[in-house]
């Protein structure tokens, strides 16, 4: 036999040996609200003492997976392979975290040891945490992982049953959900052992709103406040309500999401991604179809509010993306926490940089804040010696910085509700009626800003756009000039009034901004007036 033939034979034998001893499975890891495809590679070599190596920057949860996998395999009628086992999570320079790697590593071990033989692993993404008895537990971030798998051309996705509906929302990839490791082994051996999971996205949106008990018809009185909230919803404006305790500020704020336009599918997917990577998506729920409403306590930390941590996670402002962030008792929040919100409110996203990675979370929200007019809780009354003085009220209000207040379009004074209004049996307009007007106004804005990236409503116009779009006739311009001069309105109030007046005109389906629109918008800038405290 020639030397060439000997070398060829050795190479062929070696290649077949390596083919049997090396296996690869696709998994995924989240970075921000997006995902990155991860290859789980397992190499098994005989001889020497049995050893298990896990490399590729695993965190504590991933490093502890070998004990879970060992018990799960044995309790599922399989065996942990012997020999020298090396598991590599590629790319090796990307930190890996979480328990989603349990199932893909277990499947790779079964394949490399010959306990299963399948050709499905080449185009399948596998995710799942293993219990010691082999059951599959849900993991975080399945939706962005499903999107990434589809975009990379994979055909199948294997997930725990609890994550199944979430993954099945993504079109273009077949999702198979399982309760136990043995079911996954059966599916890998027999293609027809389980059917793919399908969900009806339209039905999810149709069920949106069923069982809700909050409605604007339950709010007695406060017609001027409800009107201002309608304007805010129609233009996507940030709003602050100033009034004494018990005047209905929180009650009204909690009903605001129900008059906002329904979520589109793209918005629902964006919102669901954030809740998914945070692990806050309710079990078995596939999609967030309601606009979020987040109301953190005033003791919230900077990191909890805007996001961050050693391993960056979304904060409350991102959890409220496409919805409402309600800050009750605004002056009680730490000033540092409020100040870090300024950039996310302006840009619609939060950028977090750490030594190992930089991530960005969306934060396009409506900010709704409420506060008392003074430390004592009531308005300034010269006849009340026990009340707060103007200087005390000014110190209380000064806890909110000018730049922060600059990002709030509507200032609403909320008065106490009278007995007659409280005892009245007549109901006001329902949330559905108000929402219809809001949706019609938003439709006008969608047409107006078509083709302009990052602008979806009047509140998102920059100064240049507002000056171009919000043109005034002579009467309206003179009225605004007089207000700026006589009421002592600040310069920052000018653009805010223009934007709000444009929204008021949209609610009336008016192409032009008229003087009555300007007059109403001026009323919503009370905190800018000199001497407004009395």
């Amino acid at each position: 036999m020639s030397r060439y033939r000997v070398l060829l034979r050795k190479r062929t034998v070696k290649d077949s040996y390596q083919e049997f001893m090396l296996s690869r499975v696709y998994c995924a890891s989240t970075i921000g609200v997006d995902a990155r495809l991860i290859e789980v590679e397992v190499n098994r070599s005989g001889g020497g003492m049995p050893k298990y190596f896990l490399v590729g920057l695993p965190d504590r949860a991933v490093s502890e997976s070998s004990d879970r996998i060992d018990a799960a395999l044995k309790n599922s009628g399989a065996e942990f392979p012997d020999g020298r086992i090396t598991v590599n999570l590629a790319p090796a320079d990307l930190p890996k975290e979480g328990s989603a790697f349990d199932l893909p590593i277990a499947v790779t071990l079964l394949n490399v040891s010959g306990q299963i033989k399948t050709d499905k692993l080449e185009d399948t993404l596998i995710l799942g945490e293993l219990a010691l008895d082999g059951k599959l537990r849900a993991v975080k971030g399945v939706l962005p992982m499903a999107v990434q798998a589809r975009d990379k051309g994979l055909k199948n996705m294997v997930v725990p049953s609890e994550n199944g509906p979430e993954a099945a929302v993504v079109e273009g990839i077949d999702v198979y959900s399982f309760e136990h490791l043995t079911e996954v082994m059966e599916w890998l051996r027999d293609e027809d052992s389980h059917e793919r999971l399908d969900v009806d996205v339209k039905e999810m949106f149709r069920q949106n709103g069923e069982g809700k008990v909050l409605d604007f018809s339950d709010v007695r009185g406060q017609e001027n406040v409800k009107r201002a909230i309608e304007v805010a919803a129609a233009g996507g404006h940030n709003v602050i309500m100033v009034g004494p305790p018990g005047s209905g500020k929180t009650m009204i704020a909690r009903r605001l999401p129900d008059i906002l336009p329904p979520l589109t599918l793209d918005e629902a997917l964006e919102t669901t991604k954030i809740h998914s990577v945070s692990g806050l998506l309710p079990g078995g729920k596939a999609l967030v179809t309601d606009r979020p409403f987040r109301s953190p306590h005033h003791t919230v930390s900077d990191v909890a509010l805007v996001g961050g941590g050693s391993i960056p996670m979304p904060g409350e402002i991102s959890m409220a993306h496409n919805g409402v962030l309600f800050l009750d008792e605004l002056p009680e929040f730490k000033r540092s926490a409020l100040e870090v919100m300024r950039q996310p409110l302006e840009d619609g996203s939060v950028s977090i940089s750490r030594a190992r990675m930089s991530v960005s979370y969306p934060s396009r929200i409506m900010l709704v804040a409420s506060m008392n007019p003074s430390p004592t809780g009531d308005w300034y009354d010269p006849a009340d010696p026990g009340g707060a003085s103007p200087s005390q009220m000014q110190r209380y209000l000064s806890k909110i910085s000018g730049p922060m207040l600059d990002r709030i379009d509507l200032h609403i004074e909320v008065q106490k509700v009278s007995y007659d209004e409280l005892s009245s049996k007549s109901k006001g307009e329902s949330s559905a009626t108000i929402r219809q007007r809001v949706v019609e106004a938003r439709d006008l804005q969608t047409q107006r800003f078509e083709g302009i990236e990052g602008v979806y409503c009047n509140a998102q116009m920059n100064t240049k756009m507002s000056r171009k779009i919000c043109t005034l006739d002579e009467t309206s311009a003179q009225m605004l000039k007089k207000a700026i001069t006589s009421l002592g309105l600040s310069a920052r109030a000018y653009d805010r009034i223009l934007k709000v007046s444009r929204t008021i005109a949209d609610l009336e389906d008016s192409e032009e901004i008229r003087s009555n629109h300007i007059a109403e918008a001026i009323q919503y800038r009370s905190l800018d007036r000199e001497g407004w405290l009395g």
Side-chain angles (χ1 to χ4, degrees), residues 360-381:
S360 180
Y361 294 110
S363 60
R364 194 169 61 246
I365 64 166
M366 268 190 66
L367 173 64
V368 179
S370 71
M371 59 182 290
N372 298 328
S374 70
T376 61
D378 216 333
W379 300 97
Y380 170 63
D381 184 0

Side-chain angles (χ1 to χ4, degrees), residues 195-504:
E195 295 183 356
R196 74 177 187 182
L197 179 65
D198 293 312
V199 296
D200 189 345
V201 176
K202 292 183 178 179
E203 177 64 17
M204 294 177 190
F205 279 95
R206 191 191 68 79
Q207 294 175 353
N208 180 26
E210 292 184 358
K212 289 184 177 179
V213 295
L214 299 179
D215 197 281
F216 264 99
S217 61
D218 299 325
V219 180
R220 297 290 189 268
Q222 304 293 18
E223 297 303 323
N224 63 318
V225 181
K226 288 189 283 188
R227 166 63 178 179
I229 291 296
E230 179 182 339
V231 172
H237 301 286
N238 299 328
V239 59
I240 183 170
M241 294 181 283
V242 185
S247 55
K249 303 185 296 294
T250 301
M251 183 181 186
I252 291 173
R254 291 190 178 279
R255 284 158 174 76
L256 175 56
D258 295 332
I259 66 172
L260 291 173
L263 282 175
T264 64
L265 179 57
D266 288 341
E267 287 177 328
L269 290 173
E270 283 181 353
T271 306
T272 305
K273 277 185 178 182
I274 300 170
H275 287 72
S276 179
V277 300
S278 302
L280 297 178
L281 195 64
K285 187 170 183 179
L287 202 62
V288 175
T289 55
D290 296 321
R291 291 197 179 271
F293 180 88
R294 305 289 297 185
S295 181
H297 193 261
H298 60 76
T299 57
V300 66
S301 67
D302 303 10
V303 171
L305 190 59
V306 299
S310 56
I311 300 175
M313 293 296 291
E316 290 289 340
I317 194 171
S318 294
M319 297 298 295
H321 179 61
N322 289 322
V324 175
L325 178 65
F326 178 50
L327 302 183
D328 197 10
E329 302 298 339
L330 186 65
E332 302 301 328
F333 283 78
K334 291 188 300 182
R335 183 156 185 153
S336 60
L338 296 180
E339 292 305 301
V340 295
M341 288 181 55
R342 286 161 49 183
Q343 179 263 334
L345 285 174
E346 194 75 22
D347 299 341
S349 64
V350 180
S351 299
I352 303 171
S353 298
R354 294 294 180 266
R356 289 187 174 183
M357 67 178 71
S358 296
V359 298
S360 180
Y361 294 110
S363 60
R364 194 169 61 246
I365 64 166
M366 268 190 66
L367 173 64
V368 179
S370 71
M371 59 182 290
N372 298 328
S374 70
T376 61
D378 216 333
W379 300 97
Y380 170 63
D381 184 0
D384 182 10
S389 66
S391 60
Q392 288 177 317
M393 296 178 70
Q394 192 61 52
R395 282 197 301 270
Y396 179 72
L397 294 172
S398 65
K399 293 181 180 180
I400 309 170
S401 69
M404 182 65 189
L405 198 60
D406 189 29
R407 287 158 175 80
I408 299 178
D409 296 342
L410 283 82
H411 310 157
I412 310 171
E413 296 181 24
V414 185
Q415 304 295 336
K416 291 180 178 179
V417 184
S418 68
Y419 172 80
D420 291 338
E421 291 173 323
L422 286 173
S423 60
S424 174
K425 294 183 179 180
S426 62
K427 287 195 171 185
E429 283 187 307
S430 67
S431 294
T433 302
I434 301 174
R435 173 188 263 194
Q436 183 59 39
R437 294 197 295 266
V438 170
V439 169
E440 291 173 358
R442 286 288 186 103
D443 288 341
L444 293 176
Q445 295 166 48
T446 300
Q447 299 173 16
R448 178 180 302 135
F449 302 122
E450 186 177 3
I452 302 177
E453 186 177 356
V455 180
Y456 307 96
C457 56
N458 291 334
Q460 295 169 342
M461 289 190 292
N462 57 33
T463 301
K464 183 178 180 180
M465 293 176 62
S466 63
R467 301 293 174 90
K468 179 180 179 181
I469 293 174
C470 306
T471 56
L472 305 178
D473 58 24
E474 184 62 27
T475 303
S476 300
Q478 288 298 321
M479 177 177 289
L480 182 54
K481 178 181 178 180
K482 184 177 180 180
I484 294 290
T485 304
S486 62
L487 297 179
L489 296 179
S490 63
R492 65 175 176 251
Y494 181 80
D495 286 331
R496 306 294 174 185
I497 291 174
L498 287 180
K499 293 179 184 180
V500 173
S501 61
R502 179 64 267 173
T503 299
I504 297 171

